[in-house]
């Protein structure tokens, strides 16, 4: 056997004939509750087919994102009416959400699955992929380097999350966001506070500014200040600078945490809408707004806690719920990108298209070693091994 697998087309030969079989990419319908996105869109299907792939889409996979089967069929995809029609002979499976154990059991040994894998919460599925010799790439581990920008699905989906959070804040706020001068008097603009000015936070700032609010923002990485000011928002200059490895924030010391909560409190008390996005990769989200601070807030104020799924930046947040305390509405949304599924699916599919270009290479072959920095970093499971060290340690109880 050669050291590479031909990707776009697999050529089998016997002595008389040469048969070229296109490599099949399968796109299942997502089944996690509330998931409206799909990992492929018709525009990208066309491009992949031009590159020589066969694309199969599970019946109704795009319905939630408003890409009906007939649009996929018109783009050249085959619509599969059941899992075996979808997966029989498929080499690559593209997903948004991690596969379940039942999904994995339908895959042939050696299949490649690409998508978000949320490893810490899916150890059982990862063990099954290891045992069934499935290769899995986790898009959340694509490194944040310039070369990987076009395949950075964390960023494309966080951009959407920040946008939706700002709209949700406006929708739940009892005030106008812009300043209005009307015959019935002048309305002062609302104040929006963004805590955590990474990808989602910057998009939330831009959206709240477009809606006419006064926007203030804070991040422990001082480098975020310049980006915040460029969007027309005020950056709260605090005394902490906690830029850690790879441009991410490091966890604050206990003393710094107390200092931060005190410093943030004054801005929290004057805000009409607060959008929190603060996260530290692999850890519980830091608490920035204590329940005592909530009690100092204006009645009618709204907190959209984008960190709800990783513990919440507000002490009172409950993931998946909206609660009211001291007249303040605290919303703990889950899966915000799924609320704009048309565009998030489009962006995600383009991220996957770029990833495939790297995985397959110009010569049309998939290497077996995945030595490229981006592939190596995102390779979660391969050839019966869990390749991502922190996940491996988690699985062995380390
Ligand atoms: P993230 O989702 O991990 O965290 C969101 C934000 O919360 C970050 O800006 C972080 O600094 C901030 N934060 C963490 N703890 C905090 C605290 N206690 N108080 C206030 N803020 C806190 O971040 P992200 O949006 O994924 O971005 C992480 C980094 O990666 C940023 O530096 C970003 O600019 C960078 N990035 C680079 C690229 C690229 O070069 N290709 C792409 C995307 C992001």
């Amino acid at each position: 056997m050669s050291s590479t697998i031909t990707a776009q087309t697999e050529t089998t030969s016997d002595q008389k004939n040469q048969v070229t079989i296109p490599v099949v990419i399968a796109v299942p319908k997502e089944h996690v509750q509330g998931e409206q996105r799909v990992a492929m869109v018709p525009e990208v299907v066309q491009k992949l087919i031009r590159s020589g792939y066969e694309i199969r889409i599970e019946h109704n996979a795009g319905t939630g994102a408003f890409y009906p089967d007939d649009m996929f069929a018109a783009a050249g995809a085959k619509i599969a009416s059941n899992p075996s029609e979808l997966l029989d002979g498929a080499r690559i499976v593209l997903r948004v959400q991690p596969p379940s154990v039942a999904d994995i059991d339908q895959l042939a040994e050696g299949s490649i699955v690409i998508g978000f894998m949320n490893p810490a919460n899916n150890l059982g599925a990862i063990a099954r992929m290891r045992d069934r010799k499935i290769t899995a790439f986790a898009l959340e581990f694509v490194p944040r380097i310039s070369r990987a920008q076009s395949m950075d699905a964390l960023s494309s989906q966080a951009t959407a999350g920040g946008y939706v959070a700002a709209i949700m804040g406006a929708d739940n706020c009892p005030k106008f966001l812009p300043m209005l001068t009307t015959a019935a008097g002048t309305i002062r603009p609302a104040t929006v506070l963004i805590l955590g000015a990474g990808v989602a936070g910057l998009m939330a700032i831009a959206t709240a500014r477009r809606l006419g609010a006064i926007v203030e923002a804070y991040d422990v990485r001082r480098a975020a200040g310049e980006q915040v000011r460029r969007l027309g928002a005020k950056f709260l200059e605090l005394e902490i600078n906690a830029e850690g490895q790879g441009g991410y924030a490091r966890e604050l010391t206990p003393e710094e945490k107390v200092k931060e909560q005190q410093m943030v409190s004054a801005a929290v008390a004057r805000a009409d809408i607060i959008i929190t996005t603060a996260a530290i990769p692999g850890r519980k989200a830091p608490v920035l707004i204590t329940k005592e601070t909530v009690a100092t807030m204006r009645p009618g104020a709204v907190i959209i806690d984008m960190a709800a799924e990783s513990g919440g930046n507000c002490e009172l947040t409950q993931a998946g719920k909206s609660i009211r305390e001291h007249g303040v509405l605290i919303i703990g949304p889950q899966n915000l990108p799924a609320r704009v599924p048309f565009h998030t699916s489009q962006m995600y599919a383009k991220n996957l298209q770029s990833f495939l270009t790297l995985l397959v290479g110009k010569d049309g072959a998939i290497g077996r070693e995945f030595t490229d920095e981006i592939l190596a970093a995102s390779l979660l499971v391969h050839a019966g091994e869990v390749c991502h060290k922190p996940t491996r340690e988690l699985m062995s109880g380390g």
Side-chain angles (χ1 to χ4, degrees), residues 183-234:
T186 300
I187 307 285
R188 287 171 54 77
T191 300
V192 177
L193 173 66
I194 315 285
L195 297 176
V199 178
L202 290 171
M203 187 60 180
I205 293 170
T207 307
R209 287 286 301 142
R210 286 182 191 125
L211 291 171
I214 292 173
V215 183
E216 301 186 336
Y218 168 64
D219 196 294
V220 282
R221 293 178 299 108
R222 208 165 280 158
E226 178 54 30
Q227 292 168 302
V228 167
R229 282 188 285 269
R230 246 188 277 144
L231 291 170
K234 180 179 171 194

Side-chain angles (χ1 to χ4, degrees), residues 99-370:
S100 65
V101 168
D103 295 326
I104 294 160
D105 287 347
Q106 295 177 334
L107 303 179
E109 186 178 311
S111 307
I112 299 172
V113 187
I114 311 170
F116 286 126
M117 296 288 161
N118 191 3
N121 296 314
N122 284 299
L123 296 181
I126 291 164
R128 190 64 135 240
M129 290 197 277
R130 175 198 61 201
D131 297 344
R132 301 225 39 241
K133 298 200 171 50
I134 304 297
T135 296
F137 287 96
L139 289 183
E140 52 269 75
F141 297 145
V142 167
R144 279 5 223 292
I145 56 173
S146 319
R147 188 165 64 86
Q149 266 176 4
S150 63
M151 47 195 104
D152 183 353
L154 267 189
S155 287
S156 70
Q157 305 304 295
T159 298
Y163 167 83
V164 176
I167 301 290
M168 197 181 261
D171 189 31
N172 284 283
C173 179
K175 297 183 175 180
F176 288 117
L177 265 64
M179 187 178 122
L180 296 180
T181 309
T182 78
T186 300
I187 307 285
R188 287 171 54 77
T191 300
V192 177
L193 173 66
I194 315 285
L195 297 176
V199 178
L202 290 171
M203 187 60 180
I205 293 170
T207 307
R209 287 286 301 142
R210 286 182 191 125
L211 291 171
I214 292 173
V215 183
E216 301 186 336
Y218 168 64
D219 196 294
V220 282
R221 293 178 299 108
R222 208 165 280 158
E226 178 54 30
Q227 292 168 302
V228 167
R229 282 188 285 269
R230 246 188 277 144
L231 291 170
K234 180 179 171 194
F235 187 66
L236 301 174
E237 296 284 354
L238 307 183
E239 289 161 25
I240 300 164
N241 184 17
E243 179 129 5
Q245 256 188 341
Y248 286 99
R250 63 163 168 81
E251 190 163 18
L252 301 185
T253 63
E255 297 75 39
E256 285 176 327
K257 280 182 189 166
V258 173
K259 217 176 198 180
E260 176 181 41
Q261 282 172 3
Q262 286 168 348
M263 292 189 293
V264 163
S265 302
V268 168
R270 62 176 177 260
D272 297 300
I273 299 171
I274 303 179
I275 296 167
T276 69
T277 77
I280 298 151
R283 295 188 183 254
K284 186 186 169 301
V287 172
L288 308 181
I289 306 174
T290 60
K291 52 180 185 295
E292 290 78 18
T293 307
V294 172
T296 68
M297 290 175 68
R298 294 172 171 176
V302 185
I303 299 175
I304 310 289
D305 192 340
M306 287 188 68
E309 284 166 294
S310 57
N313 291 141
C314 172
E315 209 174 2
L316 297 173
T317 299
Q318 292 182 33
K321 293 196 176 146
S322 299
I323 58 163
R324 200 173 280 278
E325 286 280 339
H326 305 290
V328 177
L329 183 63
I330 304 163
I331 303 180
Q334 289 173 307
N335 199 356
L336 286 177
R339 293 182 189 235
V340 279
F342 184 89
H343 278 135
T344 45
S345 299
Q346 180 184 312
M347 293 162 98
Y348 189 77
K350 287 188 178 170
N351 293 145
L352 284 172
Q353 186 196 349
S354 292
F355 191 87
L356 284 170
T357 308
L358 182 69
L359 177 67
V360 173
K362 285 198 182 107
D363 59 352
I366 302 174
R368 287 182 189 276
E369 299 301 326
F370 309 120

